[in-house]
Amino acid sequence: MPGVKVVVAPDKFKGSLSAPLVAAVLTAGIRAGAPDAEVVRVPIADGGDGFAAAAIEAGYREVAVTAQGPTGRPMRARYAARDGVAVIELAETAGLVALPGGVPKPMTASTYGTGLVVRAALDAGCRSIVLGIGGSASTDGGSGLLEALGARVVRRSLTEVLAMDLSGLHPALASAEFVIAADVDNPLLGENGAAAVYGPQKGASPVQVALLDHALSSWADRLDAATGTDHRTTPGAGAAGGVGYGLVAALGATLRPGIDLVLDLTNFDEVLKDAHLVITGEGALDTQTLRGKAALGVATRARTASVPVVAVAGKATLTPAQLRLAGFETAYALTDLEPDAHLCMTQPEPLLERIGRQISARLLQPT
């Protein structure tokens, strides 16, 4: 259909395909059915896996650096840079995906490696740091990250902090802007805090959860004393094992929804101009989507611009009424074409291409 502009803006299908690959396969299907359509690909993320990749796809330059993983193992990492802005993904250096062999280390996993990436960006002249903190493997309150940036932390034990000194922090932080992509509103401590809610996902036993909560409390006592602040109950303080708290308290960081940051970084509102259709998606389109995941963020922006949006997912359990309320015209799921969920996970490409063709046939043909 000549003159039609389609924006393809999916998140990853977790455990199956990256966001850029989802976008590429959908685009192939759309172009097979509507070869004259203009298709603009904008892979997205919500602050976790794929956060830096989304910026790189949007034209940011990839910068390789030496860092270390959550257990201290040396590794090559990266950040995305453009015009003094550095986009950094915590998951690459301190995330569950970075654990050697996938073995959880709930008591010792650290954010130190992420701090090394931040330091490298500051050394390179970046003065706006955008940090996506989804997918964390640690519950260190951001202490490791701050130590990599020059903070001095004295511990009696793994769970008790005796003293800390922020005077050695990287001098560029005094003039740098720090923005955190966080999509949870948990406080730092207690039954809804970082350790209690997310510790078990990182492999912590009930006893270890209690120890981690005590460790975060001890850390907060010292950081509050050093900064004269108290952000323990700030919404998002418990994000990424307390990284939200540590960076807001020590660096004055701002917490923002991850998908909003990504859409701003990719100039999504400009991309929407003159668009006739937006296609977004994620692995599972369910009630969690409605709590602010990436696909909902895309739908919200598209609806504001009066552009219809459809969703594509591995599986979709939302009712038609829920889809409409969220801003989606309809949803397409791989499981609608192939009931075997294992095949949908392991061989999604031909199914996604078929869905691209279906969208072309149903929505992009002349009436």
Side-chain angles (χ1 to χ4, degrees):
M1 184 176 177
V4 170
K5 177 181 177 181
V6 182
V7 178
V8 180
D11 196 357
K12 64 186 175 297
F13 281 26
K14 192 169 185 178
S16 184
L17 283 180
S18 67
L21 280 175
V22 174
V25 176
L26 279 172
T27 297
I30 292 164
R31 285 182 171 153
D36 294 329
E38 176 190 0
V39 184
V40 181
R41 289 183 288 184
V42 188
I44 57 166
D46 60 5
D49 305 349
F51 187 69
I56 292 166
E57 285 283 332
Y60 282 66
R61 176 173 55 92
E62 181 174 343
V63 182
V65 298
T66 300
Q68 64 184 45
T71 63
R73 177 179 294 183
M75 65 176 292
R76 295 293 287 170
R78 64 177 178 172
Y79 65 89
R82 185 170 71 184
D83 300 329
V85 178
V87 179
I88 300 171
E89 182 180 318
L90 178 143
E92 289 193 342
T93 48
L96 295 167
V97 295
L99 287 165
V103 179
K105 296 291 182 181
M107 300 302 294
T108 56
S110 170
T111 56
Y112 190 88
T114 305
L116 293 177
V117 180
V118 174
R119 174 177 284 276
L122 293 171
D123 288 343
C126 294
R127 292 298 177 264
S128 181
I129 307 297
V130 180
L131 178 64
I133 61 175
S136 164
S138 69
T139 312
D140 72 354
S143 60
L145 193 157
L146 291 171
E147 286 182 278
L149 292 175
R152 180 172 175 268
V153 181
V154 179
R155 292 180 173 84
R156 173 179 290 168
S157 65
L158 194 64
T159 60
E160 188 169 0
V161 178
L162 293 179
M164 68 170 305
D165 180 4
L166 299 177
S167 63
L169 283 174
H170 197 294
L173 289 169
S175 59
E177 175 191 31
F178 222 110
V179 182
I180 302 171
D183 293 303
V184 301
D185 58 5
N186 303 78
L188 180 66
L189 305 172
E191 63 181 11
N192 294 314
V197 175
Y198 302 108
Q201 300 174 14
K202 302 172 185 182
S205 68
V207 171
Q208 289 174 324
V209 165
L211 288 171
L212 288 168
D213 194 64
H214 174 77
L216 288 172
S217 179
S218 177
W219 164 242
D221 287 343
R222 301 307 173 193
L223 189 51
D224 286 354
T227 61
T229 64
D230 182 357
H231 290 283
R232 301 178 195 215
T233 60
T234 296
V243 168
Y245 161 79
L247 299 192
V248 169
L251 305 180
T254 301
L255 294 165
R256 286 191 60 196
I259 183 58
D260 285 344
L261 275 171
V262 169
L263 294 178
D264 288 347
L265 289 170
T266 56
N267 295 316
F268 193 70
D269 292 339
E270 286 295 315
V271 174
L272 284 176
K273 291 182 177 179
D274 302 320
H276 295 81
L277 178 69
V278 172
I279 303 171
T280 188
E282 56 196 7
L285 200 68
D286 53 24
T287 55
Q288 288 298 310
T289 303
L290 305 180
R291 295 178 61 87
K293 291 179 72 176
L296 182 66
V298 171
T300 300
R301 294 285 184 104
R303 182 167 52 183
T304 299
S306 300
V307 182
V309 57
V310 299
V312 177
K315 62 178 180 179
T317 58
L318 295 178
T319 66
Q322 288 174 316
L323 288 168
R324 288 193 298 272
L325 188 63
F328 301 106
E329 299 285 322
T330 189
Y332 298 81
L334 303 189
T335 51
D336 292 339
L337 302 178
E338 172 53 68
D340 187 330
H342 179 70
L343 282 177
C344 291
M345 283 285 291
T346 58
Q347 301 177 40
E349 292 93 336
L351 300 172
L352 274 173
E353 186 172 357
R354 281 176 61 188
I355 287 176
R357 289 173 180 266
Q358 287 180 354
I359 292 172
S360 293
R362 294 175 185 175
L363 303 176
L364 302 179
Q365 300 303 317
T367 56

